[in-house]
Structure formats: structure tokens, C-alpha cells
Amino acid sequence: MDVVLDNVRGLLNSTVDASTKIPAGYAPSWFERTWLSLFDGRNELLTFTLVAFLMHELVYFGRYLPFWACDHIPALRKYKIQDSRPVTPEMQMRCFRSLMFSHFVIEGPLMLGFLPIAQLAGIRTTEVPLPGWQEMCTQIAVFFVLEDFWHYWIHRLFHWGPLYRRVHKVHHEFSAPFGMTAEYAHPLETVIFGQGTIGGPILYCQLVGSVHAVTMFTWIALRLFQAIDAHSGYDFPWSLHNFLPFWAGADHHDYHHAAFVNNFASSFRWWDSIFGTDAKYHAHKARLAEQRACKKAN
């Protein structure tokens, strides 16, 4: 703890000199110069937190906008999974107000406290060269697998009676979810599930090698894309699970909200398949297929 506090004090009392971050003889790319310019002459801790927070808000609400638009395009309504349960402005506003509290009061302070610990774990922030795409893709793939494993077991735990009633029930207030409900949750749930997102990169640093903040931000952006898509309530012909059968997506997670059982994983289907927590989901899909076949025959 003393080491963390010393790092916090050092971060608070210093500014970044970008010229010292460039190795001798190295010519940084345009993106690398732009990245360093965000921090140059500024406090690294506060700048990192601000960049992280703004990125989160832009990606979160920006990713929701296409699904919001779908709600107002009649031709796309046929792809709505629970079409009989429309999203109302009142529901959206209630969700938005809760998210503003969560983002500013819960997640913002967590972002502020992340950097001192992350740097000690081995996460790089202002160093160049930035990682190549092969390194980033490999690390992000590992992060997805680690987060999914964490999410599966913690999610099952949150469906245990006392924890469900006191904590997880908040998230299930929307039994027909829409994209913005991805982070609509009790504060304790927000903190615990969030450890799966930041814990993967930290664990990777400890066991494999360093991770750059650019990779971290890319990972978080993709995780937000996944979470909002899973809660979108839309299953399109171009949805990812139609091309990658092990991907969960909205088709998988929407059933969890509608039935309050099964399908506990976040990104992939394999844990639910291995541990048998998708049996009711598959029975439901079989019934729907049978109903469609009967209608087509008539």
C-alpha cells in the first residue's frame, strides 16, 4: 500500500515531458506524436483519467445510438427480439439518470485510482513505440477470454438468492433490455464486474508481459461494444454470432433477461455449454423453431 501511495504522490506532483519518452533515433508516427501530445506538459494521472472517462462516454453512448435509431425505423423492427415490449422515453430517461450517477460517482473515481496500480503492475502509458496490431490483437483476445470466465462465475454468484435480491435485481429491472442498460446496475455490481475488465490486463502484465494503455483503451472500447450489443435487444442477420457460433450476442443474453435464468457468460457461449447453464435457452429456441415451422406449414 505504501508503494501505491508513493506512486500516487509522484503522479500528482509531476508533469510529462514528451521529449524524454521518445527513444534516441526513433521517429514516432503521427498517431504516436498525437498520443504523446495529450500528455505533454500535463499531469499524467489527471490526463489519463480524463481521456479514459471521455473515451468511455463517447463509446458507450455512441455505440447505443444505432440501436436507438433502429427503434424508430419500422423496417428494422422485425429484428427486435422482444418486439411486443417497446422501449419508452421514460425507460430511457430512468436508465440515463442512473448511468450518470454510476459514471460520475462510481466509475470516475475508479478510473482515477486505476493508473497508480496499473503502472506498478507493468502497464505503460506514455512510452513509445506503441504496440503493433498483432500484439494488440493477441492481448485483447486473451482479455476477452479472461473477462468472460470472470463474468460467468460472478454472474452465477449474483443469481444466488440474497445477492440477487439485494444487488443483481437492479440490472434485471429491464426484462426487455436495450443497449443503454448494459451498465445499469447496483454500484457493488458495477465495481465487481469491472474487475474482470481491468483485471485481465493486470494479470497479463504479471504473468506474460507489459501492456500499453493504448491496448487497454482499445480493449475497453471493444468490451463496451460487446456489452451494448448484447443488451441491444436486436438480432440481425449480420450479428456476429451468425458467423462465429461461439459468440454470445444479443440472441443469447436477451433470453437471460426475459427468463432470469441461463446464459450467464458475457462474450462466449462455451462456459454455459460446458456447465449446462443453457439448457432452458436451447429448449426455448427449439420451441420457437417449431412454432415458425407450424406457421410456415399453414
Side-chain angles (χ1 to χ4, degrees):
M1 181 58 72
D2 289 340
V3 176
V4 175
L5 292 176
D6 287 341
N7 196 34
V8 170
R9 283 190 287 267
L11 286 168
L12 286 173
N13 296 320
S14 64
T15 57
V16 175
D17 181 358
S19 64
T20 64
K21 303 295 182 178
I22 303 172
Y26 179 74
S29 66
W30 173 85
F31 185 79
E32 289 171 329
R33 292 195 303 271
T34 302
W35 174 257
L36 289 174
S37 71
L38 294 175
F39 296 89
D40 192 28
R42 299 183 177 94
N43 180 273
E44 185 175 1
L45 176 59
L46 299 181
T47 303
F48 181 90
T49 303
L50 181 61
V51 171
F53 186 83
L54 291 177
M55 182 276 293
H56 179 274
E57 298 307 288
L58 288 171
V59 172
Y60 190 89
F61 292 106
R63 181 67 180 106
Y64 171 60
L65 282 178
F67 295 115
W68 173 84
C70 289
D71 289 337
H72 299 85
I73 302 174
L76 297 177
R77 294 292 299 181
K78 61 184 177 182
Y79 301 119
K80 183 77 172 172
I81 299 171
Q82 298 187 58
D83 190 35
S84 61
R85 308 180 71 178
V87 178
T88 66
E90 291 75 20
M91 294 165 64
Q92 292 171 324
M93 185 53 63
R94 177 158 63 97
C95 180
F96 180 76
R97 285 197 297 264
S98 176
L99 288 173
M100 287 297 95
F101 173 82
S102 179
H103 289 180
F104 280 92
V105 179
I106 308 298
E107 296 183 36
L110 288 175
M111 293 178 190
L112 184 63
F114 172 74
L115 185 61
I117 297 173
Q119 285 187 335
L120 292 175
I123 290 180
R124 312 188 311 277
T125 51
T126 56
E127 291 80 3
V128 294
L130 298 181
W133 68 267
Q134 300 96 328
E135 178 184 336
M136 291 179 65
C137 288
T138 300
Q139 292 177 347
I140 290 171
V142 172
F143 301 160
F144 263 111
V145 172
L146 292 175
E147 190 284 330
D148 189 66
F149 182 77
W150 171 266
H151 191 105
Y152 176 81
W153 289 107
I154 295 298
H155 197 177
R156 286 192 68 173
L157 179 63
F158 270 125
H159 274 262
W160 173 57
L163 278 178
Y164 180 84
R165 289 191 298 271
R166 292 178 173 84
V167 180
H168 192 51
K169 187 177 180 179
V170 174
H171 185 65
H172 276 277
E173 287 178 15
F174 295 100
S175 55
F178 51 96
M180 197 163 52
T181 62
E183 291 186 347
Y184 181 87
H186 188 284
L188 181 61
E189 179 173 338
T190 298
V191 172
I192 293 177
F193 273 125
Q195 303 313 302
T197 302
I198 66 173
I202 290 176
L203 184 63
Y204 187 95
C205 285
Q206 295 296 301
L207 299 179
V208 182
S210 182
V211 174
H212 200 282
V214 169
T215 305
M216 184 82 182
F217 283 158
T218 305
W219 148 239
I220 292 173
L222 291 173
R223 172 72 177 103
L224 289 172
F225 264 63
Q226 177 276 322
I228 293 161
D229 175 74
H231 290 83
S232 68
Y234 282 92
D235 185 26
F236 301 107
W238 55 85
S239 292
L240 189 57
H241 77 90
N242 291 316
F243 304 95
L244 297 177
F246 56 82
W247 186 257
D251 169 72
H252 192 258
H253 193 66
D254 198 274
Y255 176 78
H256 176 78
H257 274 264
F260 302 98
V261 296
N262 274 200
N263 299 2
F264 297 104
S266 57
S267 298
F268 307 114
R269 299 183 180 228
W270 49 56
W271 298 121
D272 285 296
S273 179
I274 290 170
F275 295 104
T277 50
D278 58 358
K280 293 181 180 179
Y281 162 73
H282 286 299
H284 169 72
K285 296 291 287 185
R287 286 193 300 270
L288 291 179
E290 185 178 347
Q291 291 170 7
R292 286 193 297 267
C294 290
K295 286 182 180 179
K296 192 172 182 179
N298 294 330

